[in-house]
Amino acid sequence: MRVLHLLMLSACFVHMGLKETFAFHNTDSTNREKTIIETITKSIKKNDFLNIKINTRMAFHTKFTGVESDKATFRIDYLWLQVTGNITDCIFYKWIQHLNKSNKANSLDNMPSSIDCLGIGFNISPTLSTFIGKQYADFGGFEYDADPAQVFEFSDLGNNMTCFLVGAHIQWFCIPSQELRFQVVNGRNNSIEDTYATTPEDFKAAKLPLGYTFNWNGFFFNNHLATRCSYSIFHEGNKSNVNMLTLAASWMQKHFNMYVDATYSFEDIDRLGILSSTITTDETPFCATDCEYLSIVSRMNYRPSEKLNLFIKGMYETASIRKDGIMEKGKYRTSFGYQGGLEYFPMKENLHFFAVYHAKQVDMTNRALKMGLCGSNPQRLSIGLIYNIPVF
């Protein structure tokens, strides 16, 4: 498969707001798998107005951390309905919904949390397009942009981001290998009261709680090197902003690829909530201020044969307070994540089996230990399958 074709298709998926895994996918449309409807009716699909897929990941999970409450269970981790299509050459639409998430409407945008994407896009020119509706926040990074069913275990930062927000973005391919994006979205899905368990005494919610993101994505060295850089600022309240900077790079060859994502978030109010949730109890809700989070994630894939992929992944993350205030200045939490596994592709790329081992070591610093906080060492073995079923 041509590397250039993979890279340009990846850019197309970013444009459409669809998350694709960073892997060796055979995406040649001339060799695509027939949909279920085509197979049943023995017909050939002649238009692109309606495309329906169901994406699922199911697995048997075994936890073995020595805790009595550990259980081994079968679980449907992801069940997505994806409906996309082109209304005309210039207008397209997208609807992606988690079928195993709550349908309760959010208090700010009045959208169910189960809907990840829902909106209309416009191809203004061959190099310029826009999308309006609920969409992925453009925080950037290869782990963040991957199909979540194929990530297996996100970083702490990735697990705590609000990824799907209502707004609009514009995308411009200034040259074929360079893409610029600008996005404006709601700063959150719910009200301040629903988002934070409590807020600081002097906090006043913003009347215009919007988030702004600028992205630059590029390809270099005969398309072997890809980069993704983004900066976001979200206005939460008076003198309370959340800033996030992501720098990411990937390298792709025929049998090997890898990526490195580095994200730094500095927050006047604890939007990620990692530090706040560590201290919060049922009786005493807590909201940290002046937080900073660092996350470095890397994954390497090696494909010795067409049907087998081996991978390893590492994560390093810290959580700190930037200045003395409600909490003492300094680092409170460090986590190391490890992941390794194999994937077997028996036929088409959209069906494969996997076996993955996950482990994480969460260490608390002395100042955190003095507050009664303690670390953890969760571990898990997962065996299952991922199937992106082409329905229509």
Side-chain angles (χ1 to χ4, degrees):
M1 182 184 63
R2 293 173 298 173
V3 174
L4 177 59
H5 179 76
L6 171 63
L7 290 169
M8 293 310 295
L9 186 71
S10 174
C12 179
F13 277 129
V14 172
H15 150 66
M16 290 288 287
L18 302 176
K19 296 203 169 194
E20 282 295 304
T21 188
F22 183 76
F24 305 87
H25 284 167
N26 185 359
T27 52
D28 187 352
S29 61
T30 62
N31 191 35
R32 67 175 180 84
E33 183 174 0
K34 287 185 178 181
T35 66
I36 292 175
I37 297 300
E38 287 175 305
T39 302
I40 292 173
T41 62
K42 301 185 184 302
S43 63
I44 298 175
K45 189 174 179 182
K46 297 181 179 179
N47 64 70
D48 197 34
F49 179 78
L50 179 64
N51 301 281
I52 302 174
K53 291 184 179 181
I54 295 177
N55 191 11
T56 183
R57 186 182 81 201
M58 55 189 74
F60 180 74
H61 300 289
T62 303
K63 296 181 181 180
F64 43 97
T65 58
V67 179
E68 190 173 332
S69 60
D70 285 350
K71 295 179 180 179
T73 58
F74 287 98
R75 179 180 172 86
I76 306 297
D77 297 318
Y78 283 94
L79 186 60
W80 272 11
L81 172 65
Q82 178 179 302
V83 181
T84 62
N86 296 314
I87 300 172
T88 69
D89 291 340
C90 297
I91 304 173
F92 61 92
Y93 67 91
K94 177 171 71 281
W95 169 29
I96 302 178
Q97 183 159 356
H98 268 282
L99 300 180
N100 55 347
K101 284 183 68 174
S102 171
N103 286 316
K104 180 181 178 182
N106 297 312
S107 59
L108 186 65
D109 61 25
N110 199 35
M111 289 280 283
S113 57
S114 61
I115 294 180
D116 291 345
C117 291
L118 179 63
I120 299 291
F122 302 90
N123 295 316
I124 302 169
S125 75
T127 60
L128 187 67
S129 64
T130 186
F131 186 84
I132 302 169
K134 193 169 185 181
Q135 57 195 278
Y136 299 106
D138 282 338
F139 294 135
F142 291 93
E143 180 192 68
Y144 179 79
D145 282 338
D147 177 351
Q150 304 196 42
V151 175
F152 299 115
E153 183 73 22
F154 279 94
S155 61
D156 291 337
L157 188 140
N159 269 327
N160 288 276
M161 285 180 174
T162 302
C163 301
F164 312 108
L165 297 162
V166 176
H169 79 249
I170 189 165
Q171 171 197 26
W172 177 43
F173 281 95
C174 50
I175 59 176
S177 63
Q178 306 291 313
E179 175 197 27
L180 300 177
R181 296 167 62 90
F182 179 70
Q183 183 185 57
V184 181
V185 292
N186 286 342
R188 53 184 181 272
N189 294 319
N190 289 297
S191 66
I192 282 288
E193 293 76 17
D194 293 331
T195 303
Y196 299 95
T198 185
T199 54
E201 291 183 3
D202 60 345
F203 179 83
K204 185 177 180 181
K207 293 182 178 179
L208 195 64
L210 297 178
Y212 309 88
T213 299
F214 178 77
N215 287 68
W216 166 60
N217 305 314
F219 304 119
F220 306 91
F221 299 112
N222 198 27
N223 297 314
H224 287 298
L225 176 66
T227 60
R228 293 182 181 175
C229 306
S230 72
Y231 173 71
S232 304
I233 181 167
F234 282 67
H235 185 46
E236 290 288 273
N238 59 315
K239 300 181 181 179
S240 293
N241 295 320
V242 174
N243 302 266
M244 187 175 296
L245 174 67
T246 297
L247 303 175
S250 70
W251 183 264
M252 287 180 280
Q253 294 179 203
K254 184 176 180 180
H255 296 290
F256 171 82
N257 63 38
M258 69 172 292
Y259 66 77
V260 178
D261 295 345
T263 302
Y264 175 62
S265 182
F266 48 107
E267 311 180 354
D268 296 325
I269 185 170
D270 190 12
R271 175 61 182 273
L272 286 174
I274 297 173
L275 285 170
S276 298
S277 63
T278 304
I279 300 170
T280 291
T281 64
D282 292 336
E283 297 78 19
T284 310
F286 179 77
C287 182
T289 58
D290 300 306
C291 306
E292 63 178 7
Y293 297 100
L294 173 66
S295 175
I296 300 175
V297 180
S298 181
R299 171 168 165 161
M300 291 184 288
N301 295 287
Y302 173 63
R303 193 134 183 185
S305 68
E306 183 180 348
K307 294 187 175 183
L308 185 65
N309 183 53
L310 308 175
F311 70 90
I312 58 173
K313 181 178 175 179
M315 295 171 278
Y316 170 78
E317 299 180 90
T318 64
S320 308
I321 297 296
R322 289 183 290 133
K323 60 183 180 181
D324 292 324
I326 300 175
M327 298 172 66
E328 179 186 355
K329 177 182 177 181
K331 187 187 296 183
Y332 283 76
R333 186 180 189 271
T334 302
S335 68
F336 303 88
Y338 314 92
Q339 189 181 101
L342 58 89
E343 298 171 294
Y344 175 67
F345 300 81
M347 42 184 198
K348 297 291 184 179
E349 290 284 350
N350 63 342
L351 168 65
H352 68 274
F353 299 88
F354 64 84
V356 183
Y357 170 74
H358 318 259
K360 181 185 291 185
Q361 178 67 47
V362 180
D363 296 325
M364 297 295 180
T365 62
N366 288 333
R367 62 173 53 86
L369 293 173
K370 290 177 182 177
M371 298 173 63
L373 307 179
C374 58
S376 61
N377 182 29
Q379 301 175 57
R380 187 175 79 251
L381 177 66
S382 303
I383 300 174
L385 64 87
I386 296 172
Y387 196 7
N388 195 359
I389 306 168
V391 178
F392 183 81

